[in-house]
Amino acid sequence: MKKSIVGILAHVDAGKTTLAESLLCACGVIERAGRVDHGDAFLDNGDMERKRGITIFSKQARIRWKDVDITLLDPPGHVDFSAEMERTLQVLDAAILVISGADGVQGHVITLWRLLQRYEVPAFIFVNKMDQPGTDRAARLRELQEKLSEHCIDFSEDRDEEVFGESLAMWDEVCLEHYLETGEVEEREIRRLIRERKAFPCHFGSALKEPEGVQELLATIDRYLESPGYGEAFGAKVFKIT
């Protein structure tokens, strides 16, 4: 199996812990997803975390989805614990950036995006809470492209395939040449674009109410995230001691 270390990042109250619970549930680690407001979230297991309803310490869990074995890291989302979050970034193969569909790109999201850029971490975006009134998928995608990167691309299953192919190809000469010849972008090229941060897959859904959107996100990670290569000699980076 492919092995990857993936972190979940978000502005506070975007639903990061709820998404983590949904991922754990989808992969069979837990039978039922816990909730922050119920104080029974699997990863937020500290007394203070359950009392305050926020993540304070980075947690980890192991999940498997089809052909990928993921070590899932859940660092704090609150700005007061940014140092704990930034240490986690240094060991990630990829990140899932959670954005509230109701609130959009908030101030701390910009900070997180710049940190991901600094540490050259490939990013998958999950726009959460799309079940709430007034949310608009097309408007949110435009906001992501304007405030984060033009390379944010809709990877949802019901996407427009022509727009999808053009959006991928226009940012890379090799892809563009192949796309003009064949009308498609090969999977290995999509994986390379994600690795090189030339494409940021976006999914939309509700971690609390729509497990299908969470499964789509997992399927995209399984299909397009490349596992890192390791040398024969042992090496490791310690990001936390507890």
Side-chain angles (χ1 to χ4, degrees):
M1 297 183 75
K2 296 186 295 183
K3 294 182 181 292
S4 295
I5 302 173
V6 179
I8 305 183
L9 311 175
H11 184 96
V12 67
D13 291 333
K16 175 177 67 66
T17 299
T18 304
L19 177 60
E21 293 291 307
S22 297
L23 292 169
L24 291 167
C25 191
C27 295
V29 176
I30 55 178
E31 292 185 4
R32 182 179 62 85
R35 291 178 54 163
V36 174
D37 53 344
H38 292 175
D40 61 354
F42 180 81
L43 291 174
D44 284 349
N45 49 28
D47 292 339
M48 186 62 70
E49 290 176 315
R50 290 185 170 175
K51 182 179 179 181
R52 296 182 61 181
I54 59 173
T55 302
I56 298 175
F57 305 105
S58 296
K59 303 295 194 316
Q60 60 282 330
R62 188 176 176 186
I63 60 176
R64 293 185 177 185
W65 181 263
K66 296 184 179 178
D67 294 326
V68 63
D69 185 335
I70 297 172
T71 299
L72 187 68
L73 301 184
D74 180 22
H78 200 284
V79 67
D80 289 349
F81 308 106
S82 293
E84 179 90 357
M85 176 274 299
E86 189 168 350
R87 281 194 296 270
T88 306
L89 290 184
Q90 299 174 53
V91 301
L92 299 182
D93 298 319
I96 300 170
L97 180 62
V98 187
I99 293 171
S100 169
D103 300 321
V105 178
Q106 297 169 282
H108 190 48
V109 172
I110 303 295
T111 300
L112 293 171
W113 190 254
R114 288 171 179 164
L115 287 169
L116 289 171
Q117 185 176 23
R118 178 191 299 175
Y119 292 108
E120 300 180 341
V121 180
F124 297 77
I125 297 172
F126 185 80
V127 183
N128 193 25
K129 301 186 179 182
M130 291 300 291
D131 58 316
Q132 294 190 6
T135 53
D136 184 294
R137 175 169 148 183
R140 282 288 169 250
L141 182 61
R142 285 196 300 273
E143 182 186 28
L144 294 173
Q145 292 168 341
E146 291 169 3
K147 294 186 176 181
L148 299 184
S149 171
E150 293 177 297
H151 300 242
C152 292
I153 300 169
D154 188 352
F155 268 64
S156 303
E157 289 183 2
D158 59 348
R159 67 197 176 219
D160 184 314
E161 288 297 332
E162 186 175 348
V163 172
F164 177 70
E166 290 175 356
S167 299
L168 285 167
M170 68 184 297
W171 303 115
D172 186 86
E173 257 187 59
V174 175
C175 281
L176 182 59
E177 186 176 336
H178 186 266
Y179 181 75
L180 292 174
E181 291 177 358
T182 66
E184 61 180 26
V185 181
E186 295 182 354
E187 281 195 18
R188 62 183 177 86
E189 287 300 308
I190 297 176
R191 287 193 287 271
R192 177 179 66 80
L193 291 174
I194 293 171
R195 183 186 74 241
E196 295 178 357
R197 290 178 48 85
K198 293 181 179 179
F200 302 105
C202 300
H203 283 279
F204 303 80
S206 169
L208 185 62
K209 297 182 178 178
E210 299 171 4
E212 297 83 7
V214 175
Q215 291 171 8
E216 273 192 31
L217 173 65
L218 281 166
T220 296
I221 292 173
D222 172 55
R223 188 173 182 179
Y224 296 116
L225 178 60
E226 291 185 345
S227 292
Y230 296 105
E232 293 184 5
F234 173 79
K237 183 175 184 66
V238 177
F239 77 100
K240 177 183 176 180
I241 297 174
T242 186

